[in-house]
Amino acid sequence: MTSSELRPRPDGAAVRRLLRDGVLTVDGRLVEASNTTLRGTLTLDGVSAHCVYKPIRGERPLWDFPDGTLADREVAAYLVAEALGGELVPPTVLRDGPFGTGSCQWWIDEPDGAAPLVGFVSADAVPPGWFPIAAARDDDGTAYTLAHADDPRLARLAVFDAVVNNADRKGGHVLVGPDDRIYGVDHGVTFHVEEKLRTVLWGWAGRTLTPDLVAALAVLADRLDADLGEQVARHLTVAEVAALRDRVDGLRSTGRFPLPPRDGPAFPWPPI
């Protein structure tokens, strides 16, 4: 059985067991990634599937995040996403591999021809129902607009990014899965105690949270006071867990999507 034949829901026990206990072999490297990012194959009990393996030893030092912590942040992001609902992040675990301990995430195959939900479009051809976010021009002076769809799945992802303080929500980090779900990936620069939200999903900025998102945040707050708080504490510092709780409480208090920062960059670079 291959990954194309194994179709449990992304939070299924079979997926997590394969990620955690499967024999991991490396197939190749994703060369566009800034940190060492490897495509691998997991095999367990005759079942095989692809994964993304990011060994800690391949993490580039960052000036604002402690060295060797990005893999743990990837795992903490999955745990928070699972509690928030919507299956926003592919299942992710911390495990040993051919190049040492690292994060191991379920591989998402985007269907051929899948329409992106965020990107640069011609300035005079923004799709109906999309939010224009920023204006841009190419080297020839042609005008483009950075925009994204008004899609409830993206709205939940925007709330998730605010909760985990995602400093790098590029358009290319939003994948459309074969099951008509969307997935956010690449969450190594999250959970900083200082405000660092940089995203291309600003279309709902300042708008009132929908009732389903308010309810999801309430569940997340309860989980943080129970099992989830203990789980993320294995991957984050005490201060980072406290800041996570504060961000959840802040969103619940305002009842609105966050606004772009005034004293720092609002977009990651590059944005796609």
Side-chain angles (χ1 to χ4, degrees):
M1 185 179 292
T2 67
S3 59
S4 62
E5 297 170 301
L6 182 63
R7 292 297 186 197
R9 294 175 66 82
D11 62 345
V15 170
R16 292 194 296 270
R17 181 167 176 264
L18 188 56
L19 286 168
R20 184 183 63 249
D21 300 329
V23 176
L24 173 56
T25 57
V26 172
D27 303 325
R29 180 173 181 174
L30 305 182
V31 295
E32 295 182 357
S34 56
N35 297 297
T36 300
T37 303
L38 306 170
R39 174 173 160 129
T41 297
L42 296 160
T43 304
L44 181 68
D45 297 336
V47 176
S48 295
H50 294 303
C51 66
V52 178
Y53 165 50
K54 298 181 180 180
I56 292 174
R57 69 173 64 173
E59 296 177 3
R60 292 195 324 178
L62 299 172
W63 69 270
D64 52 349
F65 283 82
D67 293 350
T69 66
L70 305 192
D72 277 290
R73 296 174 195 278
E74 293 264 12
V75 177
Y78 164 65
L79 294 171
V80 171
E82 185 184 34
L84 189 63
E87 299 174 354
L88 297 170
V89 175
T92 311
V93 303
L94 193 72
R95 58 161 293 168
D96 194 24
F99 297 100
T101 301
S103 63
C104 185
Q105 184 174 86
W106 188 256
W107 179 276
I108 300 298
D109 278 313
E110 292 191 282
D112 293 338
L117 298 174
V118 56
F120 284 104
V121 296
S122 178
D124 58 0
V126 177
W130 280 43
F131 292 116
I133 304 301
R137 291 184 181 273
D138 65 13
D139 293 339
D140 297 324
T142 304
Y144 289 89
T145 298
L146 178 63
H148 68 76
D150 182 4
D151 187 303
R153 298 170 298 175
L154 285 182
R156 187 174 289 255
L157 188 61
V159 169
F160 163 76
D161 285 337
V163 165
V164 302
N165 199 15
N166 191 355
D168 196 31
R169 174 60 69 210
K170 295 180 171 72
H173 295 167
V174 180
L175 306 181
V176 179
D179 44 13
D180 198 35
R181 295 187 181 95
I182 67 162
Y183 297 92
V185 298
D186 210 350
H187 300 118
V189 285
T190 49
F191 296 107
H192 203 287
V193 295
E194 299 175 4
E195 177 59 47
K196 288 187 177 289
L197 181 59
R198 293 191 287 270
T199 175
V200 295
L201 301 178
W202 287 116
W204 299 275
R207 297 193 180 198
T208 301
L209 295 169
T210 55
D212 63 309
L213 294 176
V214 172
L217 286 168
V219 171
L220 178 58
D222 289 343
R223 290 281 306 277
L224 281 170
D225 289 336
D227 60 319
L228 180 63
E230 297 176 359
Q231 292 170 13
V232 296
R234 300 169 190 156
H235 303 282
L236 305 173
T237 67
V238 171
E240 288 166 345
V241 175
L244 168 62
R245 287 192 169 96
D246 288 344
R247 288 191 296 272
V248 174
D249 291 343
L251 286 169
R252 297 182 69 199
S253 176
T254 65
R256 295 181 179 275
F257 287 87
L259 293 168
R262 294 183 178 181
D263 56 353
F267 298 98
W269 188 260
I272 300 298

